[in-house]
Each structure stands twice: as C-alpha cells, then as structure tokens.
Amino acid sequence: MAKRYDLRRQPGFSQIAWFCIFMLYAPILMLVLFSFNDNRSVVKWTEFSFRWYTEAFANDGIRAAAVTSLKLALVASVFGTIFATMAALATTRTRPYRGMNLAYAIINQPLMIPEIVTAIASLSLFALIKQITGVTGIGYLMLAHTVFCVPFAYMPIRARLEDMTLTLEQAAADLYASPIRVFWEVTFPLLIPGVVSGAMLAFVVSLDDVIITLMVAGPGETTLPIFILGAIRRGITPEINAVSTILLAVSILLVAVFFLFQRKTKK
Amino acid sequence: MASTDQDISLSASETLAHARRVDAQRKTRARWILLSPALILIGLFGLMPLSITLVYSFLKPGSFGGVEWVFSLDAYIQFIAQRDIFDDTLSVNWSYLSIFSRSIGLSLGATIGALILGFPTAYFIASKPADQRNFWLFLITLPFWTNLLIRTYAMLLIIRDQGVINTGLMSLGITEAPIEILYTDTAVFIGLIYSYLPFMVLPLYASLEKLDLRLIEAAYDLYASRFRVLTNVILPLAKPGIVAGCILVFIPGLGAYITPELLGGGKKLMIGNLIAIQFGSSRNWPFGSAAALILMAVVMVALLLYVRHSAKEGHSHG
Amino acid sequence: MPVTQNMNQLKPTVLAKNDADEVPAISVQGLVKTFGHSSNQITALDDVSIDIQQNEFFTLLGPSGCGKTTLLRLIAGFELPDSGTVLLHGEGIEHLPPHMRPVNTVFQSYALFPHISVADNIGFGLRMLGWDKAKITNAVEKMLDMVRLSDLANRQPDQLSGGQQQRVALARALAPAPRVLLLDEPLAALDLKLRKEMQIELKRLQDQTGITFVFVTHDQEEALTMSDRIAVMSAGRVLQVGQPKEIYNAPEHRFVADFIGDINVLPGQVKHRQNGKLVVMIAGGSEVHLPDDGIQSDSLFVAVRPEKATLAKSGTGALSGVVNNIVFFGSGTNIHVSLSDGVDFVVQTQGSETGLSLGDAVSVNFADSAAKVLRN
C-alpha cells in the first residue's frame, strides 16, 4: 500500500523535535538517576541506594531550608492568589473603563522586568526600610515573593473567568440572588479550578525562586534553592542531586495537578 | 389627566437615572476595592523599588554597601569610561561595555539557536493529531515549571570535564583529553538555549496550531515544493509566533544570572552577574543600580519594538 | 406551507381576556435602548410600547437583531433602558435590579448551574428567597413532577439531554411562581421533533400554572402555533400586534407579510377611491377592490397568500402568465407563474397532480377578499 503523501511533513523536523525533548529531559534524568547512586561519584554508577536521601534528611541545614521554603511559598501563594483573584474579577468581563489598562500593566509589572533588576531594587528598598525602622525578619522575603506570585496566579484565574459567560450569574440574579450571593453561590464555585491552578503556579514559582531570594534574604533565611546554590559553589556532591530531585518532584507534582485542573476546566 | 401622565413619566425617568447612577457607582467602587490589594502591593513593593533604584543610580556608593546621599553621575560614567587616578582624565573603559555586548551577543545567539530548534519542534507538535498535542505540549512546558537552578546544575553535570559527554567521548577514544565546555561562552550559550527553549516553542505552537491546512493544500496544488511551502506559506503565517518567541527568549536571556553564574563559572560574566556583584562583594550599589537601569532600558526598547510590530501586524490584518 | 395552513386549528380561541379594567401583566411604554457610543451607536429598541395581558402567552417575533431579546432583558432587568417605563401589574420596575423583580427567565442556553444537582438548580430561586428547607424540598418535588423529571433529581446538569436540560430550566424558572415568565428562544437548540414536543409541553405548563408567558422567537411557525398574541418586531420597532390569525391573514406591513409565511406581493396603483373602497390597478391591468383603511400613498403593494389564489387555463383572467416551475413539497404543490410583467407569482394547490406542465399559459385568479393592502 502506498504511503499517503503527508502534506504537513517537513524533512528533519521530527528528528529535531525529538532532539529537543531529549535535550530537555536527559540532564534532569541523569541528575535524578545519580541521586540514587551509592557512591560519591555523579558519573560512575555503582549501586542503587537511598544513602544520599538519608543524609539529606539528616542534614539540619537542609531541613531548615525546606521549612523556610514551604513557609514562604505557602504565605506568598495564598496571599498572591487572593489578591490575583480579586484583581481578575475587576479586570475581566467588563466594558473597558478608565484605568483598566493601567491596572493591568501594574499587575503584570513583575513579569516585565528582568528578575535581577527586581531583585536588586527590592534589596535597595528593604535595606532602606530596615535602616529607618530597624525591623528585620522573613516578612520582607514574603512580601517580595507575594509580589511576583500575583501575576502568575492572575493568568489562569483571568483565563478561567474569561471562559465563563455572564449568563449563569444573570440566571442567579434573575432567581433573586443579591450580587454578593451571586458571587458565593455561582461565580466562586465555578472559578475554583482557575483559583487552584493559579495557586499551584504561584506556589511553584515561589518555591523555585533563586535570584530575588538570594538578594533579599537576611542572615539565616535560607531556602532550598539558595541552599543548593551554596552547595554547588562549595563542590558537587550526590547530596545536592537528592535535594534537587525532591524539589523537582514537588514542582512536577504541583504542575501536573495544575494541568489536570486545566483539562477538567476545558471539558 | 394629561398633566398627571407627565408627572408619572417624569418621576419614572428620575428613578431610572438614579438607578443607573447607583449601579455605575456600585460597579466602580467594587472594582477598585477588588483591585486595591494587588495594586497597592505591587505599587509599594514592585514599582517603588524601581524608583529607588533610579535614585540610587545617581548617588555615591557607601563604603560598606548602601549609598551616600550625594548626587553623582559616576555610576553612569563608570559604565563607559574610566577616570585616570593621576590626572582625572576620562578614557573609554571597555570592560563593562564588553560584558554588556557579550550579554547581548549571547542572548541573541541563544534566541536564534532556540528558534532553529524550537520551530521544528512546535511544528512537529502542531501536526500531531489534536488529542495528542496537549501531551506533547505538557512535555515541553514541564521543564519550564521546574527549578531553573536545578536544571542548570543538571546541565553542568553533563558538560563538565568529568561529565557524561566527555567521559563518553574519551571512552570511545574520540578524544584524548576532555573537551573544555564548562566555563566557556559555549557553555553559557547551551545553557541559555536549554533554559528558555520552552519560551520559544509555546508562542510558535500557538500560531502554528491555527495554521489552516487548506492553505498548505492550496500551495501544493499550485505546484509548490515542500521547501517552498515552508518558506512561502508556513513561515510567513507563523511570523507573529516567531517574533513573540524571540522576545520571550531574548529578554530573560539578557538578564540571565544563574546560567552564566554556574556554567560561565563567574569568569564569563553577563550583565546580570555584574549587577549582582555590585550589591555583593563590590559594594557599589549606585553602579549596580545604573547597570540594572541600562539593562531595563534595553529590555523596554525590545518590548516597545515588539508592541509596535504586533500593533502594525494587527492593523494590516484587520 | 402545509403547517401554516392548519396551525390555527391546533389551538382553540381562548383569548378575549382583554377586560378593560384588568391591569396588564407587563406594560412597556416608550422604551428606548441604545448600545455603544456616539460613533457606532446601535439603537436596539426605538420607542417600543406594548401591553401584555395577564395569563397571556405573548410572543415577540422577529429576525435576529430586531430587538426582541433586548426587550426581554429590559423586562428581566439585565439592562437598564435609556428611557421609558416597564410596568409589572401596574408598578414601575424599570429601575430595579434583576433580583428584585418577580419575573423569571428561561435562557436560550438554559444557563443551568453546572456545579449543583438538578434538584438544587430548581430550588435555587426559593433558597435565595429564604424559604425553609422542607418547603423547598416539597416545592422542588412538585416541579420535578410537573416537568416529569422526578427520577433525575440528583443528576448533574451535564448528565442530561438537551430536552431534559430545557425542562429543568423551565422548572427552575417556574418554581418561585413568578408573575411573568420570560422565555428567550428556549427551543432554538432542540431538534425539530423535540421542539414540537416542547411546544406542546410549554402550552400545557402555561395553562397549568396560569402564569403570563413572554416568549421570544425568530420562528414564525412556532409563534403562530403557540401564541395568544404576537408582536412582530423589526429594527427595534413593533410593527404589528395581534392574534396569530390576524397577523397571518391581515398583515398590515410588508415586512410582516414577508416574514410570516409565504406571500405574493404585487405592486399596484390606486385608480380611485369610492365609498370607503380602494380600486387598485395591479400588474397586467386587472383591478382589485380593497377596503380603504386611510392609506395616503397612491402607489402601494397588494399581498395574496399562495393558497388563496387559483389557476385557470389561459384566457379566463387578467393576470396571465407562464408556468416556470412546479415544486412538490408533500402535502401540496407550489406552481410558480411568471406574470407578463415579469413578476413571479406562486399559487399553492393541494395534492401532487396539477395537470400543468412547464411553459403552460395560465391565468391567476383570487377573490378581492383574499387581497390585502400593505404599508411599505
């Protein structure tokens, strides 16, 4: 049987695509693989073992960094998602109003500026505030993380809202629901997939942040990525692979949940 | 009789106007109450820091970090020139300019590299059956949501002298000594492509997915070869995606910090590292602020060009 | 058309509720609604006034964009009018938000809440009105029974067929016993068979509940079948209000005549007016005598329904022409005649045998009473 002439095919394209997938995943898979290697080497495979995980869990520095990371990501994603949800409600499904484009630009501002610039700018402001008030602590880091969590949470929430027609809310109003009840009975329940997606993204983004944290963090405020960066600078050990693998697993899990919610939304 | 009719309709129109006013007021109030937390937060801790950076760039550095509140243009002068310590004359200082041009060069190179790899990949995904595309897209986006630091570290493990590539090449007898990749511009270049490839694929896919297969059929029908179909039909139609993808890779590439830090080994600096160093070991906050603003200016120019380009495109199509 | 022919037999004449002292269920007066801003402003409603009587099945009929849905949305409260009043049983409600108006809507897309069960959908309005749980459960059961969906109470809306969703939407809107039920093209998404069933179901529900129905549709057949009265709308204006029979048999407006059923429209000239009669000269030089309803212009249009005209072999009438097409449609046949001045005239006959063939010379006849003067 003759092969159908595939109009879409272009020579070499699928090979390049496969190469890209390989390039994206091979390094990560190597890293994960050697985190289970019972040997100091991150090149020569000897034997499967959880040795480096055990050591990582026993390491007080890693445990403290993990707690800091989770605390930070939790606070930043919760507040970021709440603020983003409110902002999304005010900037979708409405006729354009004065100031809307400006509000939109401000919300997305953290995405428009190179992270290193945001990092040193935040450092400058916080240093000034510290100097004036004498207040120190992890609050600064939480503020900085919440700022960039807002636009990330905002994206899926806004997308979800724009997919929702106003008809359901009108139906609720028609059935005697006051504006506040319309929100809690109809708008919010239907918005939940978007809110969950937004919170997931915000959490992952906060959990993975390096540059802003590196600049803004005060003494003793070490997150997992900062710990990993420091460890890499000191020298490569399989322990880093183990911690990295855990962090990767958490991110991938959350992003998978995000995608599942997105798919459910589309049905 | 007629006059009462008039009265009724007058009061009715008044209540109507009142209702409309109340409705508009309620909407306006609700909308700004909803917006205020995000706007205040980002205004205070996203925009205000930038204005502080602007101010700092015109001050003198403090001796232990921070700033001295004395106006000075030194930070900007320092970027392009050096002051002779004996006779105070200025001469061009190439060291920062070369870091800057290396940043632009590497970022541009990585953008082109990502386009060459990303376009076929996006096309490949777009030509998959509709129900499989989401899976492929997920495969491409997943690395983007994982930690950039960890991915860069993983790349470091691969390309270093004792890494898989070099040990593989040597054990196969292709090379005697390891090829030096790590801590070179090549390493940074590879790292940038690796980091930002998903940014290229996503917008490309978005415009290729919308590509009407009938247009390709029409081109073949009119005697175009595969290559001509690609260059005369597919590429022009994918142009918005290409431009968006290039912007999305170029901008973060230009401000990259982790990639040159880890893969350039702190020797091959990019502007991101230069800025960070000023706030760390160099303790020259004004200079760091000035460099950050220069970086931001370049980014803004790129974004403006993009906005103008897409506005023009939108206009010519609409 | 076969259906339009006997549609009036479907419903008994139950109207005559226009007691002068009874307040209209809905009375809209001088409603104006525009959308957009100065440069591209669209007038959706241009000074619309209608009285809808209590317990009436009233239909707003017109092509898409004629303003019928806008009128419904103004009554429901989803939009505020630019000017004009909406009276519900005599009370002005045009300024109230939708949740304070005792009217309910059945949406074209049904707008069932996807996150709650069928029963909760139906009970939604009652819950918002603050009814207690037991009473709601009771009322929901009654409504489910009325729309024959009792065994689907705990399903989610997306597990229902289109027809079932439609009935849930009806039950949900009827549950709070609104003064007026507004229906926005509720049958448009259903297939033909289901639509016919739902037409009957809707009529049954209206009889059963005694609630005033305001029904929006672009389907003239549906309007004629179901309505007590119809308002035909075009370009933001109401052209004619009347019982289906009046609308069909005595269209006052060329648009109404064209929109409702098939009709032949012939240009004519007033020859003279005498004793309240118009003598109109139409194509081919034949004369028609029509009642003079005060039309000013001397050039006008005369309309004749295809089933009200007959054909004869040439020579017996003034309107003569040639058969140029014969279209069989099941219960009858349409014969297209090309009149001598080029106008196409359609005559409808029963059955499939016409005894005619293409090119036959024929003449068209109709009684004066079958002709109707139209305003342009």
Side-chain angles (χ1 to χ4, degrees):
Chain A
M1 220 174 78
K3 205 177 159 193
R4 198 172 63 90
Y5 188 80
D6 186 353
L7 296 175
R8 284 172 174 268
R9 210 179 66 82
Q10 288 288 340
F13 274 29
S14 58
Q15 286 86 336
I16 294 177
W18 281 107
F19 172 75
C20 282
I21 301 277
F22 176 78
M23 187 179 109
L24 285 174
Y25 283 93
I28 298 176
L29 291 178
M30 289 292 290
L31 178 144
V32 172
L33 184 68
F34 279 97
S35 72
F36 295 106
N37 190 15
D38 185 40
N39 190 300
R40 272 241 145 238
S41 164
V42 281
V43 183
K44 285 200 184 67
W45 180 262
T46 47
E47 200 188 336
F48 182 87
S49 132
F50 283 114
R51 178 180 156 198
W52 302 110
Y53 288 89
T54 328
E55 286 194 14
F57 280 117
N59 185 325
D60 286 341
I62 292 177
R63 281 223 305 267
V67 170
T68 308
S69 272
L70 288 178
K71 227 166 35 181
L72 196 55
L74 204 65
V75 170
S77 60
V78 165
F79 282 99
T81 306
I82 292 172
F83 295 173
T85 307
M86 293 169 73
L89 285 167
T91 49
T92 48
R93 307 189 298 170
T94 162
R95 268 177 238 160
Y97 52 87
R98 224 157 54 128
M100 186 167 88
N101 285 335
L102 181 67
Y104 186 72
I106 291 175
I107 290 161
N108 285 298
Q109 180 266 347
L111 298 182
M112 316 272 287
I113 308 290
E115 218 190 331
I116 182 71
V117 178
T118 310
I120 61 103
S122 305
L123 166 65
S124 302
L125 174 72
F126 292 149
L128 201 62
I129 297 176
K130 276 181 201 171
Q131 202 185 343
I132 294 167
T133 64
V135 178
T136 56
I138 200 168
Y140 295 105
L141 213 45
M142 285 173 173
L143 274 175
H145 275 230
T146 311
V147 167
F148 66 74
C149 278
V150 170
F152 278 99
Y154 176 79
M155 287 189 295
I157 296 171
R158 177 190 159 92
R160 171 74 184 162
L161 265 170
E162 279 182 341
D163 280 349
M164 285 163 49
T165 60
L166 281 167
T167 317
L168 287 174
E169 278 126 310
Q170 282 173 354
D174 186 60
L175 294 162
Y176 314 109
S178 62
I180 288 175
R181 295 205 80 175
V182 171
F183 178 77
W184 288 114
E185 298 280 349
V186 178
T187 315
F188 188 69
L190 294 176
L191 190 56
I192 284 175
V195 173
V196 172
S197 299
M200 293 287 161
L201 287 197
F203 194 89
V204 169
V205 168
S206 166
L207 200 63
D208 286 351
D209 179 72
V210 176
I211 304 172
I212 291 172
T213 313
L214 190 65
M215 286 290 158
V216 172
E221 295 162 8
T222 306
T223 62
L224 270 186
I226 300 302
F227 181 89
I228 293 171
L229 181 64
I232 296 171
R233 280 173 175 160
R234 286 192 297 273
I236 290 155
T237 68
E239 207 175 359
I240 302 174
N241 290 32
V243 182
S244 300
T245 302
I246 293 169
L247 204 50
L248 279 179
V250 173
S251 302
I252 289 174
L253 197 76
L254 290 175
V255 173
V257 172
F258 163 79
F259 269 90
L260 279 178
F261 262 89
Q262 292 288 92
R263 278 187 56 174
K264 229 168 114 185
T265 308
K266 272 175 196 148
K267 267 188 197 165
Chain B
M1 204 46 202
S3 68
T4 38
D5 265 340
Q6 196 117 34
D7 289 348
I8 289 168
S9 72
L10 192 73
S11 67
S13 76
E14 270 172 3
T15 51
L16 192 61
H18 178 73
R20 199 179 293 115
R21 216 165 37 236
V22 168
D23 189 53
Q25 273 170 5
R26 194 182 63 79
K27 271 191 188 139
T28 309
R29 204 174 51 220
R31 140 191 321 156
W32 289 108
I33 288 173
L34 287 171
L35 276 172
S36 54
L39 294 187
I40 290 171
L41 178 81
I42 297 174
L44 282 183
F45 301 106
L47 290 174
M48 200 146 84
L50 290 179
S51 32
I52 295 211
T53 301
L54 182 68
V55 173
Y56 276 16
S57 73
F58 291 105
L59 299 177
K60 276 185 185 295
S63 16
F64 303 101
V67 289
E68 219 174 287
W69 289 86
V70 180
F71 177 81
S72 160
L73 285 174
D74 278 0
Y76 290 94
I77 294 169
Q78 195 185 349
F79 200 83
I80 47 172
Q82 58 197 2
R83 200 180 288 275
D84 193 291
I85 43 170
F86 297 111
D87 58 8
D88 244 18
T89 53
L90 292 173
S91 57
V92 179
N93 177 356
W94 289 108
S95 56
Y96 299 131
L97 286 174
S98 74
I99 289 174
F100 199 68
S101 61
R102 178 198 282 112
S103 302
I104 292 181
L106 276 172
S107 190
L108 266 182
T111 304
I112 294 164
L115 180 61
I116 291 169
L117 290 176
F119 187 86
T121 308
Y123 189 84
F124 172 77
I125 298 173
S127 57
K128 287 271 159 203
D131 53 336
Q132 291 175 25
R133 287 180 207 160
N134 268 341
F135 167 74
W136 284 95
L137 220 52
F138 176 69
L139 222 55
I140 294 286
T141 14
L142 192 58
F144 162 63
W145 290 115
T146 57
N147 197 312
L148 181 62
L149 172 70
I150 294 174
R151 283 197 293 141
T152 311
Y153 168 65
M155 186 50 97
L156 181 149
L157 293 181
I158 299 260
I159 61 176
R160 69 197 181 124
D161 290 359
Q162 305 87 3
V164 185
I165 291 180
N166 275 319
T167 45
L169 287 177
M170 283 189 293
S171 63
L172 289 172
I174 297 171
T175 52
E176 294 276 307
I179 307 169
E180 202 178 308
I181 310 172
L182 194 59
Y183 307 141
T184 64
D185 280 347
T186 315
V188 179
F189 172 72
I190 293 173
L192 288 177
I193 295 181
Y194 173 62
S195 303
Y196 301 118
L197 185 62
F199 283 142
M200 180 63 86
V201 176
L202 290 181
L204 280 175
Y205 169 77
S207 56
L208 285 173
E209 191 215 5
K210 282 183 287 192
L211 195 75
D212 190 344
L213 186 62
R214 283 171 303 182
L215 295 175
I216 298 178
E217 285 172 352
Y220 278 118
D221 185 52
L222 296 164
Y223 318 111
S225 63
R226 269 196 206 284
F227 183 70
R228 295 298 292 270
V229 167
L230 178 65
T231 55
N232 289 27
V233 180
I234 300 171
L235 278 175
L237 287 171
K239 203 172 152 204
I242 294 174
V243 175
C246 286
I247 287 285
L248 284 180
V249 174
F250 179 73
I251 289 179
L254 191 61
Y257 170 80
I258 293 174
T259 315
E261 177 77 9
L262 257 56
L263 303 181
K267 279 181 272 177
K268 299 290 179 184
L269 286 184
M270 283 177 72
I271 189 153
N273 314 87
L274 179 69
I275 296 168
I277 288 170
Q278 305 311 315
F279 286 83
S281 52
S282 288
R283 294 173 196 272
N284 192 341
W285 289 27
F287 181 58
S289 299
L293 288 172
I294 291 166
L295 168 65
M296 223 171 82
V298 176
V299 167
M300 286 296 148
V301 167
L303 274 178
L304 273 180
L305 285 177
Y306 169 64
V307 169
R308 267 185 55 183
H309 173 88
S310 50
K312 211 168 62 191
E313 287 282 300
H315 191 73
S316 66
H317 286 296
Chain C
M1 290 182 98
V3 183
T4 49
Q5 260 187 321
N6 51 17
M7 79 195 72
N8 286 317
Q9 292 153 19
L10 268 181
K11 62 180 303 329
T13 35
V14 287
L15 326 167
K17 274 183 192 148
N18 306 11
D19 304 321
D21 45 15
E22 198 172 313
V23 194
I26 294 276
S27 170
V28 303
Q29 297 299 328
L31 273 192
V32 176
K33 179 68 187 174
T34 53
F35 291 107
H37 288 289
S38 49
S39 56
N40 50 357
Q41 199 168 48
I42 296 156
T43 304
L45 290 180
D46 188 0
D47 192 15
V48 167
S49 301
I50 299 178
D51 282 349
I52 298 168
Q53 305 307 324
Q54 292 181 27
N55 305 347
E56 198 173 22
F57 195 117
F58 192 92
T59 298
L60 300 170
L61 174 66
S64 63
C66 71
K68 56 193 192 302
T69 297
T70 304
L71 179 53
L72 205 71
R73 292 173 65 81
L74 286 178
I75 298 171
F78 303 136
E79 315 271 357
L80 292 175
D82 294 354
S83 62
T85 55
V86 179
L87 303 180
L88 178 74
H89 288 239
E91 277 177 69
I93 58 162
E94 69 280 346
H95 59 284
L96 294 176
H99 66 282
M100 294 172 77
R101 299 186 186 201
V103 298
N104 290 149
T105 307
V106 176
F107 291 84
Q108 184 173 6
S109 56
Y110 315 142
L112 299 180
F113 305 124
H115 58 295
I116 54 178
S117 70
V118 165
D120 288 344
N121 261 283
I122 296 174
F124 190 91
L126 304 176
R127 202 152 58 80
M128 293 304 119
L129 287 171
W131 287 29
D132 60 60
K133 267 199 179 142
K135 257 178 92 185
I136 295 176
T137 315
N138 230 326
V140 168
E141 260 167 36
K142 245 181 231 159
M143 294 312 297
L144 279 165
D145 195 46
M146 193 164 86
V147 295
R148 299 183 219 129
L149 287 174
S150 299
D151 39 344
L152 300 180
N154 296 318
R155 295 270 184 95
Q156 294 296 115
D158 61 1
Q159 295 170 303
L160 303 185
S161 70
Q164 289 167 338
Q165 290 187 17
Q166 167 70 79
R167 281 186 281 163
V168 176
L170 263 170
R172 185 179 71 175
L174 284 170
R179 297 270 189 90
V180 175
L181 185 75
L182 308 171
L183 303 104
D184 184 10
E185 307 224 18
L187 309 181
L190 302 178
D191 62 38
L192 186 67
K193 191 162 168 286
L194 209 52
R195 194 152 70 224
K196 298 273 176 213
E197 280 174 33
M198 283 307 298
Q199 286 175 3
I200 295 163
E201 177 105 4
L202 271 179
K203 275 306 285 181
R204 180 180 69 81
L205 284 172
Q206 201 240 339
D207 288 343
Q208 209 170 320
T209 56
I211 290 173
T212 310
F213 277 33
V214 182
F215 185 85
V216 159
T217 183
H218 63 266
D219 184 336
Q220 43 107 3
E221 192 185 312
E222 199 168 272
L224 292 170
T225 312
M226 303 172 73
S227 317
D228 293 331
R229 284 196 307 151
I230 298 171
V232 183
M233 295 183 67
S234 168
R237 290 170 173 278
V238 174
L239 300 180
Q240 189 175 354
V241 181
Q243 296 175 15
K245 251 188 222 171
E246 293 168 2
I247 299 275
Y248 186 80
N249 290 328
E252 289 167 357
H253 207 282
R254 183 163 181 193
F255 178 86
V256 178
D258 270 340
F259 194 72
I260 314 270
D262 294 332
I263 201 155
N264 296 295
V265 178
L266 302 168
Q269 283 291 329
V270 176
K271 215 173 156 194
H272 53 265
R273 301 163 199 255
Q274 59 178 53
N275 311 336
K277 286 268 179 189
L278 286 175
V279 178
V280 180
M281 175 96 92
I282 54 174
S286 66
E287 278 179 11
V288 201
H289 297 257
L290 298 163
D292 185 355
D293 60 351
I295 193 162
Q296 293 295 318
S297 162
D298 273 354
S299 74
L300 42 72
F301 289 93
V302 174
V304 182
R305 294 278 176 201
E307 69 271 18
K308 299 260 169 83
T310 56
L311 285 177
K313 294 282 184 188
S314 196
T316 54
L319 275 174
S320 55
V322 176
V323 176
N324 73 9
N325 205 358
I326 299 173
V327 180
F328 172 64
F329 57 80
S331 61
T333 307
N334 278 338
I335 299 148
H336 293 249
V337 178
S338 195
L339 296 180
S340 43
D341 58 356
V343 176
D344 198 56
F345 196 101
V346 182
V347 176
Q348 190 179 104
T349 62
Q350 300 287 316
S352 56
E353 291 309 315
T354 62
L356 293 166
S357 48
L358 293 185
D360 282 359
V362 289
S363 61
V364 175
N365 298 302
F366 53 84
D368 282 352
S369 61
K372 175 75 194 154
V373 178
L374 298 179
R375 287 166 214 281
N376 202 3

